[in-house]
Coordinates of all heavy atoms in Angstrom, one line a residue:
S1041 N -115.6 -269.0 71.8 CA -115.1 -269.7 73.0 C -114.2 -268.7 73.8 O -113.8 -267.7 73.2 CB -114.3 -271.0 72.6 OG -113.0 -270.6 72.0
K1042 N -113.9 -269.1 75.0 CA -113.0 -268.3 75.8 C -112.3 -269.2 76.9 O -112.9 -270.2 77.2 CB -113.8 -267.1 76.5 CG -114.9 -267.6 77.5 CD -115.6 -266.4 78.0 CE -116.8 -266.8 78.9 NZ -116.3 -267.3 80.2
T1043 N -111.2 -268.8 77.3 CA -110.5 -269.5 78.3 C -111.0 -269.1 79.7 O -111.7 -268.1 79.8 CB -109.0 -269.2 78.3 OG1 -108.8 -267.8 78.6 CG2 -108.4 -269.5 76.9
P1044 N -110.8 -269.9 80.7 CA -111.3 -269.5 82.0 C -110.9 -268.1 82.5 O -111.6 -267.5 83.3 CB -110.7 -270.6 82.9 CG -110.5 -271.8 82.0 CD -110.1 -271.2 80.7
V1045 N -109.8 -267.6 82.1 CA -109.3 -266.3 82.6 C -109.9 -265.1 81.7 O -109.7 -264.0 82.1 CB -107.8 -266.2 82.6 CG1 -107.3 -267.3 83.5 CG2 -107.2 -266.4 81.2
Q1046 N -110.5 -265.4 80.6 CA -111.0 -264.4 79.7 C -112.4 -263.9 80.2 O -113.2 -264.6 80.8 CB -111.1 -264.9 78.3 CG -109.8 -265.0 77.6 CD -110.0 -265.5 76.2 OE1 -110.7 -266.5 75.9 NE2 -109.4 -264.8 75.2
Q1047 N -112.7 -262.6 79.9 CA -114.0 -262.1 80.2 C -114.9 -262.4 79.0 O -114.4 -262.7 77.9 CB -113.9 -260.5 80.4 CG -113.0 -260.1 81.6 CD -113.5 -260.7 82.9 OE1 -114.7 -260.6 83.1 NE2 -112.6 -261.1 83.7
A1048 N -116.2 -262.2 79.2 CA -117.1 -262.5 78.1 C -116.8 -261.6 76.9 O -117.0 -262.1 75.8 CB -118.6 -262.2 78.6
A1049 N -116.4 -260.4 77.1 CA -116.1 -259.5 76.0 C -114.9 -260.0 75.2 O -114.7 -259.5 74.1 CB -115.8 -258.1 76.5
D1050 N -114.1 -260.9 75.8 CA -112.9 -261.4 75.1 C -113.1 -262.7 74.3 O -112.2 -263.4 74.0 CB -111.8 -261.6 76.1 CG -111.4 -260.3 76.8 OD1 -111.4 -259.2 76.1 OD2 -111.0 -260.3 77.9
E1051 N -114.4 -263.1 74.1 CA -114.7 -264.3 73.4 C -114.1 -264.3 72.0 O -114.1 -263.3 71.3 CB -116.2 -264.5 73.4 CG -116.9 -264.8 74.7 CD -118.3 -265.1 74.5 OE1 -118.9 -264.8 73.5 OE2 -118.9 -265.7 75.5
K1052 N -113.6 -265.4 71.6 CA -112.9 -265.5 70.4 C -113.8 -266.3 69.4 O -114.3 -267.4 69.8 CB -111.6 -266.2 70.5 CG -110.8 -266.5 69.2 CD -109.5 -267.3 69.5 CE -108.8 -267.6 68.2 NZ -107.6 -268.5 68.5
V1053 N -113.9 -265.8 68.2 CA -114.7 -266.6 67.2 C -113.8 -267.7 66.7 O -112.7 -267.5 66.1 CB -115.1 -265.7 66.0 CG1 -115.8 -266.5 64.9 CG2 -116.0 -264.6 66.5
V1054 N -114.3 -269.0 66.9 CA -113.5 -270.1 66.4 C -114.0 -270.7 65.2 O -113.3 -271.5 64.5 CB -113.4 -271.2 67.5 CG1 -112.7 -270.7 68.8 CG2 -114.8 -271.7 67.9
W1055 N -115.3 -270.4 64.9 CA -115.9 -271.0 63.6 C -117.1 -270.1 63.2 O -117.8 -269.6 64.1 CB -116.4 -272.4 63.9 CG -116.8 -273.2 62.7 CD1 -116.1 -274.0 61.9 CD2 -118.2 -273.2 62.1 NE1 -116.9 -274.5 60.9 CE2 -118.1 -274.0 61.0 CE3 -119.4 -272.6 62.5 CZ2 -119.3 -274.3 60.2 CZ3 -120.5 -272.8 61.7 CH2 -120.5 -273.7 60.6
S1056 N -117.3 -270.0 62.0 CA -118.5 -269.3 61.4 C -118.9 -270.0 60.2 O -118.1 -270.6 59.4 CB -118.2 -267.8 61.2 OG -117.1 -267.6 60.3
G1057 N -120.2 -269.9 59.9 CA -120.7 -270.5 58.7 C -122.1 -269.9 58.4 O -122.7 -269.2 59.2
W1058 N -122.5 -270.1 57.1 CA -123.8 -269.6 56.7 C -124.5 -270.5 55.7 O -123.8 -271.1 54.9 CB -123.7 -268.1 56.3 CG -122.6 -267.8 55.3 CD1 -121.3 -267.8 55.6 CD2 -122.7 -267.3 54.0 NE1 -120.5 -267.4 54.5 CE2 -121.4 -267.1 53.5 CE3 -123.8 -267.0 53.1 CZ2 -121.1 -266.6 52.2 CZ3 -123.5 -266.6 51.8 CH2 -122.2 -266.4 51.4
L1059 N -125.8 -270.5 55.7 CA -126.6 -271.3 54.8 C -127.4 -270.3 54.0 O -128.0 -269.4 54.5 CB -127.5 -272.2 55.5 CG -126.8 -273.3 56.4 CD1 -126.5 -272.8 57.8 CD2 -127.7 -274.5 56.5
C1060 N -127.5 -270.6 52.7 CA -128.3 -269.6 51.8 C -128.9 -270.4 50.6 O -128.4 -271.5 50.2 CB -127.5 -268.4 51.4 SG -126.2 -268.7 50.2
C1061 N -129.8 -269.7 50.0 CA -130.4 -270.1 48.7 C -130.7 -268.8 48.0 O -131.6 -268.0 48.4 CB -131.7 -270.9 48.9 SG -132.6 -271.3 47.4
V1062 N -130.0 -268.6 46.9 CA -130.1 -267.3 46.2 C -130.5 -267.6 44.7 O -129.8 -268.2 44.0 CB -128.8 -266.5 46.2 CG1 -129.0 -265.2 45.5 CG2 -128.4 -266.2 47.7
D1063 N -131.7 -267.1 44.4 CA -132.3 -267.4 43.0 C -132.4 -268.9 42.8 O -132.0 -269.4 41.7 CB -131.4 -266.7 42.0 CG -132.2 -266.5 40.7 OD1 -133.4 -266.6 40.7 OD2 -131.5 -266.3 39.6
G1064 N -133.0 -269.6 43.8 CA -133.1 -271.0 43.7 C -134.1 -271.4 42.6 O -135.0 -270.6 42.2
D1065 N -134.1 -272.7 42.2 CA -135.0 -273.2 41.2 C -136.4 -273.1 41.7 O -136.8 -273.8 42.7 CB -134.6 -274.7 40.9 CG -135.4 -275.3 39.8 OD1 -136.7 -275.4 40.0 OD2 -134.8 -275.7 38.8
L1066 N -137.2 -272.3 41.0 CA -138.6 -272.0 41.5 C -139.4 -273.3 41.5 O -140.2 -273.5 42.4 CB -139.2 -270.9 40.6 CG -140.6 -270.5 41.1 CD1 -140.6 -269.9 42.5 CD2 -141.1 -269.4 40.1
G1067 N -139.3 -274.1 40.5 CA -140.1 -275.3 40.4 C -139.8 -276.2 41.6 O -140.7 -276.9 42.1
F1068 N -138.5 -276.4 41.9 CA -138.1 -277.2 43.0 C -138.6 -276.6 44.3 O -139.2 -277.4 45.1 CB -136.5 -277.2 43.0 CG -136.0 -278.1 44.1 CD1 -135.5 -279.4 43.8 CD2 -135.9 -277.7 45.4 CE1 -135.0 -280.2 44.7 CE2 -135.3 -278.5 46.4 CZ -134.9 -279.8 46.1
L1069 N -138.5 -275.3 44.5 CA -138.9 -274.7 45.8 C -140.4 -274.9 46.0 O -140.9 -275.1 47.1 CB -138.5 -273.3 45.8 CG -137.0 -273.0 45.9 CD1 -136.7 -271.5 45.8 CD2 -136.4 -273.6 47.1
E1070 N -141.2 -274.7 44.9 CA -142.6 -274.8 45.0 C -143.1 -276.2 45.2 O -144.2 -276.4 45.7 CB -143.3 -274.2 43.7 CG -143.1 -272.7 43.6 CD -143.8 -272.1 42.4 OE1 -144.1 -272.9 41.5 OE2 -144.1 -270.9 42.4
S1071 N -142.3 -277.2 44.8 CA -142.7 -278.6 45.0 C -142.4 -279.1 46.4 O -142.9 -280.2 46.7 CB -141.9 -279.5 43.9 OG -140.5 -279.6 44.3
L1072 N -141.7 -278.4 47.2 CA -141.3 -278.8 48.5 C -142.6 -278.8 49.4 O -143.3 -277.9 49.5 CB -140.3 -277.9 49.1 CG -138.8 -278.1 48.7 CD1 -138.0 -277.1 49.4 CD2 -138.3 -279.5 49.0
P1073 N -142.7 -279.9 50.2 CA -143.7 -279.8 51.3 C -143.4 -278.7 52.2 O -142.2 -278.3 52.4 CB -143.6 -281.2 51.9 CG -143.0 -282.1 50.9 CD -142.1 -281.2 50.1
V1074 N -144.4 -278.2 52.9 CA -144.2 -277.0 53.8 C -143.2 -277.3 55.0 O -142.7 -276.4 55.6 CB -145.5 -276.5 54.3 CG1 -146.4 -276.0 53.2 CG2 -146.2 -277.6 55.1
E1075 N -143.0 -278.6 55.3 CA -142.2 -279.0 56.4 C -140.7 -278.8 56.1 O -139.8 -278.9 56.9 CB -142.4 -280.4 56.8 CG -143.7 -280.7 57.4 CD -144.8 -281.0 56.4 OE1 -144.5 -280.9 55.2 OE2 -145.9 -281.3 56.8
F1076 N -140.4 -278.5 54.8 CA -139.0 -278.4 54.4 C -138.6 -277.0 54.1 O -139.3 -276.2 53.5 CB -138.7 -279.3 53.1 CG -138.7 -280.8 53.4 CD1 -139.9 -281.5 53.2 CD2 -137.6 -281.4 53.9 CE1 -139.9 -282.9 53.5 CE2 -137.6 -282.8 54.1 CZ -138.8 -283.5 53.9
T1077 N -137.3 -276.7 54.4 CA -136.7 -275.4 54.1 C -135.4 -275.7 53.3 O -134.6 -276.4 53.7 CB -136.3 -274.6 55.3 OG1 -137.5 -274.4 56.1 CG2 -135.7 -273.2 54.9
C1078 N -135.4 -275.1 52.1 CA -134.2 -275.4 51.2 C -133.2 -274.3 51.3 O -133.3 -273.2 50.8 CB -134.7 -275.5 49.7 SG -133.5 -276.1 48.6
L1079 N -132.1 -274.6 51.9 CA -130.9 -273.8 52.0 C -129.7 -274.7 51.5 O -128.9 -275.2 52.4 CB -130.7 -273.3 53.4 CG -131.7 -272.3 54.0 CD1 -131.6 -272.2 55.5 CD2 -131.6 -271.0 53.3
P1080 N -129.5 -274.8 50.2 CA -128.6 -275.8 49.7 C -127.1 -275.6 49.8 O -126.3 -276.4 49.6 CB -129.0 -275.9 48.2 CG -129.5 -274.5 47.9 CD -130.2 -274.1 49.1
L1081 N -126.8 -274.3 50.2 CA -125.3 -274.0 50.3 C -124.9 -273.8 51.8 O -125.6 -273.0 52.5 CB -125.1 -272.7 49.5 CG -125.1 -272.7 48.0 CD1 -124.9 -271.3 47.4 CD2 -123.9 -273.6 47.5
L1082 N -123.9 -274.4 52.2 CA -123.3 -274.2 53.5 C -121.8 -273.7 53.2 O -121.0 -274.4 52.6 CB -123.3 -275.4 54.3 CG -122.4 -275.4 55.6 CD1 -122.9 -274.3 56.5 CD2 -122.4 -276.8 56.2
F1083 N -121.5 -272.5 53.8 CA -120.1 -272.0 53.8 C -119.6 -272.1 55.2 O -120.2 -271.6 56.1 CB -120.2 -270.5 53.4 CG -120.7 -270.2 52.0 CD1 -122.1 -270.2 51.8 CD2 -119.9 -269.9 50.9 CE1 -122.6 -270.0 50.5 CE2 -120.4 -269.7 49.7 CZ -121.8 -269.7 49.5
A1084 N -118.4 -272.7 55.3 CA -117.8 -272.9 56.6 C -116.4 -272.3 56.6 O -115.6 -272.5 55.7 CB -117.7 -274.4 56.9
N1085 N -116.1 -271.6 57.8 CA -114.8 -271.0 58.0 C -114.3 -271.4 59.4 O -114.9 -271.0 60.4 CB -114.8 -269.5 57.8 CG -113.5 -268.8 58.2 OD1 -113.3 -268.3 59.3 ND2 -112.6 -268.8 57.2
G1086 N -113.3 -272.2 59.5 CA -112.8 -272.6 60.8 C -112.2 -274.0 60.7 O -112.2 -274.6 59.6
P1087 N -111.8 -274.5 61.9 CA -111.2 -275.9 61.9 C -112.2 -276.9 61.3 O -113.4 -276.9 61.6 CB -110.9 -276.1 63.4 CG -110.8 -274.7 63.9 CD -111.8 -273.9 63.2
E1088 N -111.7 -277.9 60.6 CA -112.5 -278.9 60.0 C -113.2 -279.8 61.1 O -114.3 -280.3 60.9 CB -111.7 -279.8 59.1 CG -111.2 -279.1 57.8 CD -110.5 -280.1 56.9 OE1 -110.5 -281.3 57.2 OE2 -110.0 -279.6 55.9
T1089 N -112.5 -279.9 62.3 CA -113.1 -280.6 63.4 C -114.4 -280.0 63.8 O -115.4 -280.7 64.1 CB -112.2 -280.6 64.6 OG1 -110.9 -281.0 64.2 CG2 -112.6 -281.6 65.7
V1090 N -114.5 -278.6 63.9 CA -115.7 -277.9 64.3 C -116.7 -278.0 63.2 O -117.9 -278.2 63.5 CB -115.4 -276.5 64.6 CG1 -116.7 -275.8 65.1 CG2 -114.3 -276.4 65.7
T1091 N -116.3 -278.0 61.9 CA -117.2 -278.1 60.8 C -117.9 -279.5 60.9 O -119.1 -279.6 60.7 CB -116.5 -278.0 59.5 OG1 -115.9 -276.7 59.4 CG2 -117.4 -278.2 58.3
A1092 N -117.1 -280.5 61.3 CA -117.7 -281.9 61.4 C -118.7 -281.9 62.5 O -119.8 -282.6 62.3 CB -116.6 -282.9 61.6
I1093 N -118.5 -281.2 63.6 CA -119.4 -281.2 64.7 C -120.7 -280.5 64.3 O -121.8 -281.0 64.6 CB -118.8 -280.5 65.9 CG1 -117.6 -281.4 66.5 CG2 -119.8 -280.3 67.0 CD1 -116.8 -280.7 67.6
V1094 N -120.6 -279.3 63.7 CA -121.7 -278.6 63.3 C -122.5 -279.4 62.2 O -123.8 -279.5 62.3 CB -121.3 -277.2 62.7 CG1 -122.6 -276.5 62.1 CG2 -120.7 -276.4 63.8
G1095 N -121.8 -280.0 61.3 CA -122.5 -280.8 60.3 C -123.2 -281.9 60.8 O -124.4 -282.2 60.4
E1096 N -122.6 -282.6 61.8 CA -123.3 -283.7 62.4 C -124.6 -283.3 63.1 O -125.6 -283.9 63.1 CB -122.4 -284.4 63.4 CG -123.0 -285.7 64.1 CD -122.0 -286.3 65.1 OE1 -120.9 -285.9 65.2 OE2 -122.5 -287.3 65.7
W1097 N -124.5 -282.1 63.8 CA -125.7 -281.6 64.5 C -126.8 -281.2 63.5 O -128.0 -281.6 63.8 CB -125.3 -280.4 65.4 CG -126.5 -279.8 66.1 CD1 -127.0 -280.2 67.3 CD2 -127.3 -278.8 65.7 NE1 -128.0 -279.5 67.7 CE2 -128.3 -278.6 66.7 CE3 -127.4 -278.0 64.6 CZ2 -129.3 -277.6 66.6 CZ3 -128.3 -277.0 64.5 CH2 -129.3 -276.8 65.5
L1098 N -126.4 -280.6 62.4 CA -127.4 -280.2 61.4 C -128.1 -281.4 60.9 O -129.3 -281.5 60.7 CB -126.8 -279.4 60.3 CG -126.3 -278.0 60.6 CD1 -125.5 -277.4 59.5 CD2 -127.5 -277.1 60.9
Q1099 N -127.3 -282.5 60.6 CA -127.9 -283.7 60.0 C -128.8 -284.4 61.0 O -129.9 -284.9 60.6 CB -126.8 -284.6 59.5 CG -126.0 -284.1 58.3 CD -124.9 -285.0 57.8 OE1 -124.9 -285.4 56.7 NE2 -124.0 -285.4 58.7
K1100 N -128.4 -284.4 62.2 CA -129.3 -285.1 63.2 C -130.5 -284.3 63.5 O -131.6 -284.9 63.7 CB -128.5 -285.3 64.5 CG -127.4 -286.4 64.4 CD -126.7 -286.6 65.8 CE -125.7 -287.7 65.7 NZ -125.0 -287.9 67.0
T1101 N -130.4 -283.0 63.6 CA -131.5 -282.1 64.0 C -132.5 -281.9 62.8 O -133.8 -281.9 63.1 CB -131.0 -280.7 64.4 OG1 -130.0 -280.9 65.5 CG2 -132.1 -279.9 64.9
F1102 N -132.1 -281.8 61.6 CA -133.0 -281.5 60.5 C -133.0 -282.6 59.5 O -133.6 -282.4 58.4 CB -132.5 -280.2 59.8 CG -132.5 -279.0 60.8 CD1 -131.3 -278.4 61.2 CD2 -133.7 -278.5 61.4 CE1 -131.2 -277.4 62.1 CE2 -133.6 -277.5 62.3 CZ -132.4 -276.9 62.6
D1103 N -132.5 -283.8 59.8 CA -132.6 -284.9 58.9 C -132.2 -284.6 57.5 O -132.9 -285.0 56.5 CB -134.1 -285.5 58.9 CG -134.2 -286.9 58.4 OD1 -133.2 -287.6 58.5 OD2 -135.2 -287.2 57.8
C1104 N -131.1 -283.9 57.4 CA -130.6 -283.5 56.1 C -129.3 -284.3 55.8 O -128.8 -285.0 56.7 CB -130.3 -282.0 56.0 SG -129.1 -281.4 57.1
Y1105 N -128.8 -284.1 54.6 CA -127.6 -284.8 54.2 C -126.6 -283.7 53.7 O -127.0 -282.9 52.9 CB -127.8 -285.8 53.1 CG -126.6 -286.5 52.6 CD1 -126.1 -287.7 53.3 CD2 -125.8 -286.1 51.6 CE1 -125.0 -288.3 52.9 CE2 -124.7 -286.7 51.2 CZ -124.2 -287.9 51.9 OH -123.1 -288.5 51.5
I1106 N -125.4 -283.7 54.2 CA -124.4 -282.7 53.9 C -123.2 -283.4 53.2 O -122.7 -284.4 53.7 CB -123.9 -281.9 55.1 CG1 -125.1 -281.2 55.8 CG2 -122.9 -280.9 54.8 CD1 -124.8 -280.6 57.1
S1107 N -122.7 -282.8 52.2 CA -121.6 -283.4 51.5 C -120.7 -282.3 50.9 O -121.1 -281.1 50.8 CB -122.0 -284.3 50.4 OG -122.8 -283.7 49.4
A1108 N -119.4 -282.6 50.7 CA -118.5 -281.6 50.1 C -118.9 -281.1 48.8 O -119.7 -281.8 48.0 CB -117.1 -282.3 50.0
F1109 N -118.5 -279.9 48.4 CA -118.9 -279.3 47.2 C -117.7 -278.9 46.4 O -117.3 -277.7 46.4 CB -119.7 -278.0 47.6 CG -120.4 -277.4 46.4 CD1 -121.4 -276.4 46.7 CD2 -120.2 -277.6 45.1 CE1 -122.1 -275.8 45.7 CE2 -120.8 -277.0 44.1 CZ -121.8 -276.1 44.4
P1110 N -117.0 -279.8 45.7 CA -115.9 -279.5 44.8 C -116.5 -278.7 43.6 O -117.6 -278.8 43.2 CB -115.3 -280.8 44.4 CG -116.5 -281.8 44.5 CD -117.3 -281.3 45.7
I1111 N -115.6 -277.9 43.0 CA -116.0 -277.1 41.8 C -115.2 -277.7 40.6 O -114.0 -277.7 40.6 CB -115.7 -275.6 42.0 CG1 -116.4 -275.1 43.2 CG2 -116.2 -274.8 40.8 CD1 -116.0 -273.7 43.6
S1112 N -115.9 -278.1 39.6 CA -115.2 -278.7 38.4 C -114.5 -277.7 37.6 O -114.8 -276.5 37.7 CB -116.3 -279.4 37.5 OG -117.1 -278.4 36.9
S1113 N -113.5 -278.1 36.8 CA -112.8 -277.2 35.9 C -113.7 -276.5 35.0 O -113.5 -275.3 34.7 CB -111.7 -278.0 35.2 OG -110.7 -278.5 36.0
E1114 N -114.7 -277.2 34.5 CA -115.7 -276.6 33.6 C -116.4 -275.4 34.3 O -116.6 -274.3 33.7 CB -116.7 -277.6 33.1 CG -117.6 -277.1 32.0 CD -118.5 -278.2 31.5 OE1 -118.7 -279.2 32.2 OE2 -119.1 -278.1 30.4
N1115 N -116.8 -275.6 35.5 CA -117.5 -274.5 36.2 C -116.6 -273.4 36.6 O -117.0 -272.2 36.6 CB -118.2 -275.1 37.4 CG -119.5 -275.9 37.1 OD1 -120.2 -275.6 36.1 ND2 -119.7 -276.9 37.8
L1116 N -115.3 -273.7 36.9 CA -114.3 -272.6 37.1 C -114.2 -271.8 35.8 O -114.0 -270.6 35.9 CB -113.0 -273.2 37.5 CG -112.9 -273.8 38.9 CD1 -111.6 -274.5 39.1 CD2 -113.1 -272.7 40.0
T1117 N -114.2 -272.4 34.7 CA -114.1 -271.7 33.4 C -115.3 -270.7 33.2 O -115.1 -269.6 32.8 CB -114.1 -272.7 32.2 OG1 -113.0 -273.6 32.4 CG2 -114.0 -272.0 30.9
W1118 N -116.5 -271.2 33.6 CA -117.7 -270.3 33.6 C -117.5 -269.1 34.5 O -117.8 -268.0 34.2 CB -118.9 -271.1 34.0 CG -119.6 -271.8 32.8 CD1 -119.3 -273.1 32.4 CD2 -120.6 -271.3 32.0 NE1 -120.1 -273.4 31.3 CE2 -120.9 -272.3 31.0 CE3 -121.3 -270.1 31.9 CZ2 -121.9 -272.2 30.0 CZ3 -122.2 -269.9 30.9 CH2 -122.5 -271.0 30.0
M1119 N -116.9 -269.4 35.7 CA -116.7 -268.3 36.6 C -115.8 -267.3 36.1 O -116.0 -266.0 36.2 CB -116.1 -268.9 37.9 CG -117.1 -269.7 38.8 SD -116.3 -270.4 40.2 CE -117.7 -271.2 41.0
A1120 N -114.7 -267.7 35.5 CA -113.7 -266.8 34.9 C -114.3 -265.9 33.8 O -114.1 -264.7 33.8 CB -112.5 -267.6 34.3
A1121 N -115.2 -266.5 33.0 CA -115.8 -265.7 31.9 C -116.9 -264.8 32.5 O -116.9 -263.6 32.1 CB -116.4 -266.7 30.9
M1122 N -117.7 -265.3 33.4 CA -118.8 -264.5 33.9 C -118.4 -263.3 34.7 O -119.1 -262.3 34.7 CB -119.8 -265.4 34.7 CG -120.6 -266.4 33.9 SD -121.9 -267.2 34.9 CE -120.9 -268.0 36.2
W1123 N -117.2 -263.4 35.4 CA -116.8 -262.4 36.3 C -115.7 -261.5 35.7 O -115.2 -260.6 36.3 CB -116.3 -263.0 37.6 CG -117.3 -263.9 38.3 CD1 -118.6 -263.9 38.1 CD2 -117.0 -264.9 39.3 NE1 -119.3 -264.8 38.9 CE2 -118.3 -265.4 39.6 CE3 -115.9 -265.3 39.9 CZ2 -118.4 -266.5 40.6 CZ3 -116.0 -266.3 40.8 CH2 -117.3 -266.9 41.2
A1124 N -115.3 -261.8 34.4 CA -114.2 -261.0 33.8 C -114.5 -259.6 33.6 O -113.6 -258.7 33.7 CB -113.9 -261.6 32.4
N1125 N -115.8 -259.2 33.5 CA -116.1 -257.8 33.2 C -116.6 -257.1 34.5 O -117.1 -256.0 34.5 CB -117.1 -257.6 32.1 CG -118.5 -258.2 32.6 OD1 -118.6 -259.0 33.5 ND2 -119.5 -257.7 31.9
C1126 N -116.4 -257.7 35.7 CA -116.8 -257.1 36.9 C -115.5 -256.5 37.6 O -114.7 -257.3 38.1 CB -117.4 -258.1 37.9 SG -118.9 -258.9 37.2
L1127 N -115.5 -255.2 37.6 CA -114.3 -254.5 38.2 C -114.6 -253.9 39.5 O -115.7 -253.4 39.7 CB -113.8 -253.4 37.2 CG -113.4 -253.9 35.8 CD1 -112.9 -252.7 35.0 CD2 -112.3 -255.0 35.9

Side-chain angles (χ1 to χ4, degrees):
S1041 71
K1042 59 187 178 69
T1043 64
V1045 298
Q1046 285 178 312
Q1047 300 297 319
D1050 298 325
E1051 289 184 343
K1052 176 184 177 182
V1053 176
V1054 296
W1055 188 92
S1056 55
W1058 45 297
L1059 298 85
C1060 72
C1061 175
V1062 180
D1063 201 16
D1065 185 296
L1066 185 59
F1068 184 99
L1069 294 174
E1070 290 182 342
S1071 71
L1072 283 177
V1074 294
E1075 293 87 355
F1076 289 95
T1077 302
C1078 187
L1079 294 166
L1081 288 173
L1082 167 62
F1083 298 77
N1085 174 263
E1088 292 185 5
T1089 311
V1090 181
T1091 300
I1093 293 173
V1094 175
E1096 182 180 356
W1097 181 85
L1098 288 171
Q1099 291 183 123
K1100 288 182 176 180
T1101 304
F1102 303 111
D1103 197 29
C1104 62
Y1105 181 85
I1106 302 175
S1107 57
F1109 189 166
I1111 305 173
S1112 69
S1113 295
E1114 185 176 21
N1115 286 324
L1116 287 173
T1117 301
W1118 274 89
M1119 290 176 177
M1122 290 190 298
W1123 304 342
N1125 69 338
C1126 298
L1127 302 181

